[in-house]
Amino acid sequence: METRNAHRVSVVHRGGEWRGTENECRPYEVWYSLEILCDPPPPLKVLAVQCAVQRSVAVEIPLSNPEAEPLELGVCLEGEDLEGDIRVRVPPRGSITYTVSFSPAVVGTTTASVIFQAELVREFWYQLNLLAQPSVLTTLPESRCELGKWTRLYLHLVNPTDQTLELGTVNSNPQHFTLELDTSRPLIVTPHSSTQVPVRFCPSTIGTVNQMAKVSFTCSQLEQWSFQLCGRGLAPGRMEALSVASAVGSHSSNIIPFRNPTDQSALLNISLTDEEPGQNSLSQSFISEKKVFCIPMKKTQGVRVSAGDSVEIPVVFAPDSMQLHQAWLLVQLEPFYHHPNLDTPLTPMQRNECVVVEDERIRLVRWVYPIHGIPEAPLKRSNPAVIKCEALSRVEERVEVVLTGCVPGSFVSDTVTPHSNSTSETSAGSRLAVEDFLCEVRYTSETEQNQMDSCVTLSPLDCHRDPQSGLVSLGLNLIFVPHKPGSCSALLAVQCVTGGLWTFPISLVATEPPVDDVISITAAGLNRTSSVGFRLTSQTRNPEPFTAGFLPGGDSDFQVCPSSGELLPVGSAGTLITISFTPSMYSRKHSAVLLVQTTNMHWTYDVKGTTPTYSPPAPRPPME
């Protein structure tokens, strides 16, 4: 088998020489250094391979075996960005195709070799002339978004090289496609990693007119890496419902920011209606005579807004009864020049509510904001109801609240199954059922909510309306199962399906429970350590972090190990906790309280230590 490398060998010549009168023969050696240069045979074939960076192409090489025995070939790939099997087997008198993939990461021209070697045949190889071309343009699927909103898409960048890529960015249409990154500095992609570049698409018209972009990433290795983006603006649908709450007899407001999404100045007409928007009712504004909702703006018609500018629209809610109120805010933008021909399908709701089409051309666009007004009962200053329970215990109490101004739901059908004290007949003949009320406990902070949510269960039991005063009494069942000592203030919130909301202050108090166990340790002697261990689980299916320590006021001769760590889950052997006792004196009581706690659980142990009885030394006998 021929080789492709240079070799150095040594040649030794041994001989003899006769010298002296006694015909003495003296041996000698001569060393020669030979360098043998073995050039490879010419390639069987030269293959030209082209591929764009960040892509891959397969090169197929046919192999045949005319012999009756299988042919095992070792494969050597010389060159970067090549990948293939290092060994291949050709069956007797058969042929296969060997595939090597070329995945360039850097633009340029290189030469590579695919060398096949075996003991039974001479070495043969193929030469690959590799051309890595700049990355081809990647076209992403069309992004669709309603006018006035935005959507997000992602550009996936992969760096398969051993080099760090510092990418600059070029965006041909930043008005509609915004890269959510700092374009003032290069984007760094570390070797053999990938990153997602978020892009925000915000349409300025309905359709696809002028809503295409080319986003390119440039660097010395790749030259240019480009993506083709295209977007389609959709006619706006009904916007998400907004809620505003206020106490009866008072008022509150909600600010609705509206941005002119088009690229031209336009006029806004703002109106408020208490009728369901439709094709016939959008041409005028219907404001409730009760003035429950209003827009406190000096000018609501013909408000000029420049392209991309925003207007804050305040909506004031002033309820006069404990009944759900609903209105629709209409924001109309005209004239709308941007789409001469309507090539985007419209739903019946969009044609009825959101756009006006004349001769298949969009003349004006409207945004419809449903607004729900939720009245709240004024929070009276009163002492909160106190629910008290020992930690790790359970208490179940009936709580009764009085709902002033409650309006029964006339839509409650007579098919509601009556229960004892669970439904009430009003003087107007409408029915009120416990199913008409939603109850929950609201906490002052997210931390308290996370700690107490699993400890409190609240459900309505029965309701009754006083026919004389009209007051509704609602009975609630409250179950309190605290895991650890503590207290918190909260609000008991009751909401009726007709829209009223009542809140009542309550106080949840978890007192110290009895100790879980008493642990006694007998010392081996003064200043000598004795230990007792026990195992504890997390009481859940997952391990949980814990801390362990002694409460203040206990004896300092006790130590616990570990003081923190992770409790193993239920069903396991549990985590070993060891208490050590090293007394320093006799004739005193040794005690402490050990506290072990997780986020939601709490254990206490009375630890008592005893020392051996002190025996004074026997007196020495008098000396004679």
Side-chain angles (χ1 to χ4, degrees):
M1 181 180 66
E2 300 183 18
T3 60
R4 302 171 59 89
N5 300 320
H7 299 271
R8 282 186 171 86
V9 296
S10 297
V11 179
V12 182
H13 171 71
R14 293 184 174 86
E17 182 181 3
W18 293 93
R19 290 187 179 182
T21 56
E22 298 180 357
N23 294 328
E24 180 181 1
C25 182
R26 300 180 62 184
Y28 68 92
E29 293 181 352
V30 180
W31 291 78
Y32 299 91
S33 179
L34 303 180
E35 183 176 355
I36 302 174
L37 299 177
C38 297
D39 292 330
L44 292 183
K45 195 172 184 180
V46 178
L47 304 176
V49 183
Q50 297 182 5
C51 184
V53 292
Q54 308 301 320
R55 297 296 178 93
S56 181
V57 65
V59 181
E60 296 184 347
I61 299 175
L63 299 174
S64 60
N65 177 18
E67 303 297 332
E69 298 294 331
L71 178 61
E72 300 285 344
L73 295 173
V75 185
C76 179
L77 302 178
E78 291 186 355
E80 296 182 353
D81 305 324
L82 295 180
E83 185 176 353
D85 295 333
I86 60 173
R87 298 197 65 83
V88 64
R89 185 176 186 272
V90 186
R93 294 188 176 90
S95 61
I96 63 170
T97 299
Y98 177 78
T99 302
V100 56
S101 62
F102 173 45
S103 304
V106 179
V107 174
T109 302
T110 56
T111 301
S113 302
V114 181
I115 306 166
F116 297 94
Q117 297 173 334
E119 295 182 358
L120 301 180
V121 298
R122 68 182 182 88
E123 174 185 287
F124 61 96
W125 61 289
Y126 290 78
Q127 179 177 315
L128 305 181
N129 293 336
L130 305 175
L131 174 59
Q133 300 172 322
S135 176
V136 297
L137 183 65
T138 302
T139 301
L140 271 65
E142 182 182 75
S143 298
R144 298 192 170 200
C145 182
E146 291 183 8
L147 187 65
K149 297 182 179 181
W150 59 269
T151 187
R152 182 180 285 118
L153 60 148
Y154 293 91
L155 306 181
H156 187 56
L157 304 179
V158 180
N159 178 15
T161 71
D162 296 327
Q163 306 176 36
T164 297
L165 301 182
E166 296 187 4
L167 303 174
T169 57
V170 179
N171 185 0
S172 67
N173 190 355
Q175 176 188 354
H176 298 99
F177 295 91
T178 304
L179 300 180
E180 295 183 330
L181 51 82
D182 186 2
T183 56
S184 63
R185 60 182 65 184
L187 173 64
I188 305 299
V189 186
T190 56
H192 302 287
S193 68
S194 64
T195 186
Q196 298 267 21
V197 178
V199 181
R200 180 179 294 193
F201 168 56
C202 186
S204 64
T205 187
I206 298 174
T208 59
V209 177
N210 299 326
Q211 298 188 134
M212 299 184 67
K214 182 180 179 182
V215 178
S216 301
F217 299 90
T218 60
C219 68
S220 58
Q221 297 95 328
L222 303 178
E223 292 187 2
Q224 193 174 79
W225 194 353
S226 301
F227 295 85
Q228 182 71 46
L229 312 180
C230 57
R232 177 181 294 272
L234 305 177
R238 185 172 294 190
M239 308 298 284
E240 294 181 2
L242 304 174
S243 296
V244 56
S246 177
V248 174
S250 182
H251 70 273
S252 61
S253 63
N254 197 347
I255 301 297
I256 301 175
F258 177 82
R259 172 183 170 274
N260 178 9
T262 70
D263 54 9
Q264 297 184 18
S265 178
L267 298 179
L268 288 185
N269 294 326
I270 305 170
S271 59
L272 198 63
T273 176
D274 55 5
E275 293 188 8
E276 181 88 22
Q279 189 171 7
N280 297 326
S281 62
L282 277 179
S283 58
Q284 51 186 314
S285 174
F286 298 89
I287 304 298
S288 173
E289 295 180 355
K290 298 180 180 180
K291 299 295 182 182
V292 175
F293 292 99
C294 68
I295 304 174
M297 295 178 65
K298 293 182 179 179
K299 186 177 181 181
T300 59
Q301 302 296 307
V303 180
R304 181 165 294 278
V305 183
S306 300
D309 284 355
S310 298
V311 175
E312 291 187 344
I313 305 173
V315 177
V316 175
F317 174 54
D320 56 0
S321 64
M322 293 295 290
Q323 186 174 9
L324 179 67
H325 299 272
Q326 189 166 6
W328 287 266
L329 175 68
L330 311 179
V331 182
Q332 180 172 297
L333 182 70
E334 60 178 329
F336 191 78
Y337 325 92
H338 302 273
H339 202 286
N341 295 312
L342 182 62
D343 63 353
T344 301
L346 300 177
T347 65
M349 185 274 294
Q350 289 172 327
R351 282 185 176 269
N352 291 336
E353 297 185 10
C354 302
V355 297
V356 172
V357 179
E358 294 179 355
D359 299 328
E360 291 304 312
R361 294 188 178 187
I362 299 176
R363 179 179 171 274
L364 58 85
V365 177
R366 298 186 183 98
W367 285 264
V368 180
Y369 296 85
I371 302 175
H372 296 159
I374 303 175
E376 296 180 350
L379 184 61
K380 297 181 180 180
R381 294 176 176 262
S382 60
N383 295 326
V386 179
I387 309 298
K388 185 180 292 186
C389 179
E390 287 184 352
L392 303 179
S393 296
R394 181 181 186 274
V395 65
E396 183 172 354
E397 290 193 12
R398 174 187 170 88
V399 179
E400 189 163 306
V401 296
V402 178
L403 311 180
T404 59
C406 181
V407 179
S410 58
F411 52 83
V412 179
S413 65
D414 292 336
T415 59
V416 177
T417 304
H419 297 282
S420 175
N421 297 328
S422 64
T423 58
S424 174
E425 192 82 24
T426 69
S427 58
S430 58
R431 304 176 67 84
L432 195 66
V434 293
E435 290 82 4
D436 296 335
F437 297 95
L438 300 175
C439 309
E440 64 175 347
V441 177
R442 298 180 179 178
Y443 303 93
T444 57
S445 68
E446 186 176 351
T447 301
E448 288 185 346
Q449 181 173 351
N450 294 335
Q451 292 177 351
M452 303 297 293
D453 251 356
S454 61
C455 304
V456 180
T457 302
L458 188 66
S459 58
L461 289 175
D462 50 57
C463 62
H464 173 73
R465 176 186 288 274
D466 189 317
Q468 302 299 326
S469 64
L471 299 180
V472 173
S473 298
L474 181 65
L476 305 173
N477 186 53
L478 191 148
I479 301 175
F480 184 34
V481 187
H483 299 312
K484 57 196 303 185
S487 63
C488 75
S489 298
L491 290 177
L492 193 157
V494 179
Q495 185 168 5
C496 185
V497 293
T498 58
L501 177 66
W502 297 262
T503 55
F504 306 90
I506 60 173
S507 181
L508 301 172
V509 180
T511 59
E512 290 284 347
V515 295
D516 293 274
D517 202 356
V518 177
I519 300 175
S520 299
I521 306 177
T522 300
L526 200 63
N527 296 318
R528 298 177 63 183
T529 301
S530 300
S531 300
V532 170
F534 64 96
R535 294 186 177 273
L536 196 62
T537 63
S538 66
Q539 307 301 304
T540 66
R541 296 181 179 180
N542 301 310
E544 292 187 9
F546 78 94
T547 59
F550 293 96
L551 298 180
D555 202 308
S556 61
D557 292 340
F558 295 100
Q559 300 292 329
V560 62
C561 182
S563 58
S564 63
E566 195 173 69
L567 291 183
L568 297 177
V570 170
S572 66
T575 301
L576 178 64
I577 298 176
T578 303
I579 303 174
S580 302
F581 176 43
T582 309
S584 57
M585 63 178 61
Y586 291 108
S587 303
R588 55 166 293 188
K589 294 182 179 180
H590 300 271
S591 64
V593 177
L594 174 66
L595 171 65
V596 181
Q597 59 182 346
T598 64
T599 303
N600 298 315
M601 291 298 294
H602 168 108
W603 297 269
T604 55
Y605 302 88
D606 267 347
V607 182
K608 301 182 181 298
T610 57
T611 56
T613 303
Y614 175 73
S615 299
R620 295 182 179 180
M623 298 181 63
E624 296 181 357

